[in-house]
Amino acid sequence: MSPSPRNSLVVASAPRGWALAVPFAILCLIWSSTWLVIKESLGALPAFSAAAMRFSVAAVVFTLLAPALSRREGGATPGAALSLVMGLLNFGISYGIVYWGEQILPSGLASVLWATFPLMVALLGHFTLPAERLAPRQWIGFVVAFSGIILLFVKDLAAIGPEARFVGLVFLLSPFSAAIGQVVVKRYAAQVSSALLNRNGMWIGAASLWSVALWREDVTAIVLTSGGAASILYLALFGTVTTFGLYYWLLRHTTANGMSLIAYITPVAAVFLGSWLGDEALTSSLAIGASLVLAGLTLTKLRA
């Protein structure tokens, strides 16, 4: 008896060339814009409620799409443990911290802090993914990149206010949480349907975010304006369903370290959008700090 398409471990041949480049470019474009959209949405909605609404809408849409996507993609049904890792680490914890942090941090600065994600993926991958060991020269990249982060803490975060440094430290837990989740998914979900894993993870992420929202915020007092609704729909449909659908599909066909390099492009574009559309200050220390982070990322890609 032949296996069903959903549970089959036989998947289509790996895509190459433009089939990988085009989705990668789409991810960079959309995720560059989401930092500013999140910041703007927080003017109308409480942080955890806004994040919970985003993932609730995304979960509903992905539930409708998942059967067709999983049949086309192939792959096994994800287990409960893998779904929990995805939902809690990549969605609930990571995005909960992002929304909470952007109440204080400018969107461009937040995107640069989150650009440490590839460094964390590379470091975790070195110890957990045998094919992604770091060469000695690459360790220099960590020193360079984190010198940029230190500069941001000394200059830009200090200029925002006394609580900004604490918020910045907590904010770094967001990419760290997502990095753990990505490495686990890369190691254990190579033959798992990314569509079904995303569907499960989004429901778990939404539930975890609602639990915090109900605890910390007065959800009964929320008034959903047209602007707030538009931001939720954009972030749900494009910033979540489209991007994560593409991201975890691509992750099955390339390295975890390679996929995390989206962080090269998004902070630069996000800083520009924050300055242009969000009237956020583009300081010399932010430019230098971002450059050091990106230089560090470049070094982590060099082999000895």
Side-chain angles (χ1 to χ4, degrees), residues 48 51 55 84-99 174 177 201-202 204-210 212:
F48 295 110
F55 279 94
L84 281 171
V85 166
M86 178 77 145
L88 294 177
L89 296 183
N90 293 80
F91 296 147
I93 295 174
S94 182
Y95 275 88
I97 293 173
V98 165
Y99 274 76
S174 173
S177 174
M202 287 177 190
I204 293 169
S208 64
L209 289 164
W210 275 122
V212 178

Side-chain angles (χ1 to χ4, degrees), residues 13 64 99 132 135 141 159 168 192 199 207 265 297:
S13 59
L64 298 175
Y99 274 76
E132 300 190 23
V192 168
R199 178 202 62 189
I265 300 171
L297 296 183

Side-chain angles (χ1 to χ4, degrees), residues 67-149:
L69 292 175
S70 63
R71 284 194 299 269
R72 180 180 179 84
E73 176 192 31
T77 301
L82 198 57
S83 296
L84 281 171
V85 166
M86 178 77 145
L88 294 177
L89 296 183
N90 293 80
F91 296 147
I93 295 174
S94 182
Y95 275 88
I97 293 173
V98 165
Y99 274 76
W100 172 80
E102 281 208 53
Q103 295 177 107
I104 301 295
L105 305 180
S107 63
L109 178 57
S111 71
V112 174
L113 292 177
W114 217 91
T116 55
F117 171 65
L119 302 174
M120 296 176 183
V121 170
L123 183 62
L124 292 169
H126 173 80
F127 295 105
T128 61
L129 301 175
E132 300 190 23
R133 301 293 188 190
L134 292 173
R137 185 186 301 174
Q138 294 173 289
W139 290 97
I140 301 174
F142 290 93
V143 177
V144 173
F146 277 100
S147 68
I149 296 299

Side-chain angles (χ1 to χ4, degrees), residues 58-70:
V60 170
V61 174
F62 227 102
T63 297
L64 298 175
L65 296 175
L69 292 175
S70 63

Side-chain angles (χ1 to χ4, degrees), residues 223-269:
V223 177
L224 190 60
T225 63
S226 58
S231 68
I232 293 298
L233 289 175
Y234 176 80
L235 291 168
L237 299 179
F238 293 98
T240 308
V241 173
T242 301
T243 53
F244 281 108
L246 291 173
Y247 187 91
Y248 284 99
W249 173 78
L250 283 167
L251 186 59
R252 296 180 67 194
H253 304 294
T254 187
T255 65
N257 198 5
M259 277 303 298
S260 68
L261 294 179
I262 290 172
Y264 272 113
I265 300 171
T266 54
V268 175

